[in-house]
Amino acid sequence: MRAFTMLLAVLLLQGCLATASLQQENTEAVRQTAQQCSDTLARMDDLISAHDKTTKALERESRARKASAKAIAQDQACLDLRRSISNKTIVGAVEWATVDLGGHLLTTKARMDTGASTSSIGARNITEFERNGKRWVRFTLADGNEVSLPQERFATIRQASSEKDRRRVVKLGIRVGQISQVVEFTLKDRSHLNYEVLIGRNLLRDLMVVDVARRYVVGGDAKRPPQSLSSGINKKKK
């Protein structure tokens, strides 16, 4: 019995020793795993930091490239504008103009309107008639003179109120400063407006640049037109 008890004690002691050794091995394994995780996290932090630095560097480079491209585009636009202006006549928001209405010359103030596609002249009592098989139009100017001219076409003009206005169109010679052209004019009662003649893009385009802060740039003043304005209207078409 004593021998059995001693044998059991030895076995229990060996079991405890084995359990303690196993626990120690497990503890060491856990410590190593924790250290590996810590090392991995540190490397990940380093990688994230390096990625952030690279991303910021790329963003700075991208902004620099965009700024450089924008500066180049602006320089090119300025160069194009300078070239464009150098070949055009600078006019004010209002200039004296002489209009040739087929033998009758009308010298009047004209408003420059870059928003209008077609020039316009004041006309009242507009009537259409036929001459030699073609359509003509008769109308009265602001100075009371009656004019008859061939009708070119109809133009549909969109008003500021979004309403459409269908107008008759004639071709007239016009002189502004040293520029003489023959262009289309729509006929419109402008008696309620400040200016009997409106000059649109069909004359301004490729020929004039409008300085809206100035008036009477190409000659004359608010009371008197330049003396040479009513002479030398060039009737060559654009």
Side-chain angles (χ1 to χ4, degrees):
M1 184 65 180
R2 181 180 296 176
F4 176 76
T5 301
M6 292 180 63
L7 178 61
L8 182 59
V10 170
L11 292 174
L12 289 174
L13 180 59
Q14 289 178 345
C16 290
L17 291 175
T19 301
S21 176
L22 182 59
Q23 289 178 348
Q24 186 176 1
E25 291 177 358
N26 290 338
T27 301
E28 180 64 20
V30 170
R31 187 190 67 77
Q32 291 179 357
T33 302
Q35 184 62 41
Q36 291 175 354
C37 289
S38 178
D39 293 342
T40 301
L41 290 174
R43 287 195 296 271
M44 290 181 64
D45 289 339
D46 292 341
L47 290 173
I48 292 173
S49 178
H51 179 268
D52 290 342
K53 291 180 180 179
T54 301
T55 301
K56 291 179 180 179
L58 291 174
E59 289 176 350
R60 288 195 297 270
E61 183 178 357
S62 177
R63 287 195 295 268
R65 288 182 177 178
K66 288 181 180 179
S68 177
K70 184 177 180 180
I72 293 174
Q74 289 176 342
D75 290 343
Q76 184 62 44
C78 290
L79 179 60
D80 293 342
L81 179 60
R82 286 195 294 270
R83 288 175 177 172
S84 175
I85 291 176
S86 66
N87 296 324
K88 296 180 181 179
T89 299
I90 296 177
V91 297
V94 178
E95 295 287 353
W96 285 99
T98 292
V99 184
D100 186 347
L101 296 113
H104 173 66
L105 296 181
L106 172 67
T107 299
T108 184
K109 297 176 184 178
R111 184 169 73 88
M112 308 296 164
D113 188 352
T114 58
S117 60
T118 308
S119 301
S120 180
I121 188 169
R124 288 168 289 180
N125 305 320
I126 303 171
T127 57
E128 182 181 324
F129 65 97
E130 186 175 316
R131 177 180 291 178
N132 298 327
K134 295 183 179 180
R135 289 183 177 180
W136 281 57
V137 61
R138 182 183 296 110
F139 55 94
T140 305
L141 299 172
D143 61 7
N145 281 280
E146 187 177 83
V147 177
S148 296
L149 291 169
Q151 179 174 299
E152 298 293 327
R153 62 185 179 91
F154 280 96
T156 300
I157 308 298
R158 186 178 295 277
Q159 304 294 313
S161 61
S162 297
E163 295 181 357
K164 294 181 180 180
D165 185 13
R166 192 166 182 260
R167 303 179 189 174
R168 292 178 172 85
V169 177
V170 296
K171 281 187 177 180
L172 303 173
I174 183 170
R175 182 180 178 88
V176 179
Q178 299 301 314
I179 297 175
S180 297
Q181 293 289 314
V182 172
V183 295
E184 290 185 339
F185 280 78
T186 63
L187 302 180
K188 170 71 175 179
D189 185 354
R190 300 180 60 86
S191 58
H192 61 291
L193 300 173
N194 293 329
Y195 304 100
E196 287 295 319
V197 172
L198 178 145
I199 296 178
R201 294 194 303 273
N202 64 331
L203 178 57
L204 296 171
R205 183 177 54 244
D206 302 328
L207 295 174
M208 307 180 201
V209 175
V210 181
D211 184 346
V212 296
R214 302 168 64 189
R215 293 188 173 199
Y216 313 110
V217 175
V218 294
D221 54 37
K223 294 182 179 180
R224 293 180 298 275
Q227 293 181 355
S228 61
L229 187 62
S230 60
S231 63
I233 293 181
N234 179 13
K235 292 193 175 184
K236 183 184 294 183
K237 295 185 180 181
K238 293 175 61 177

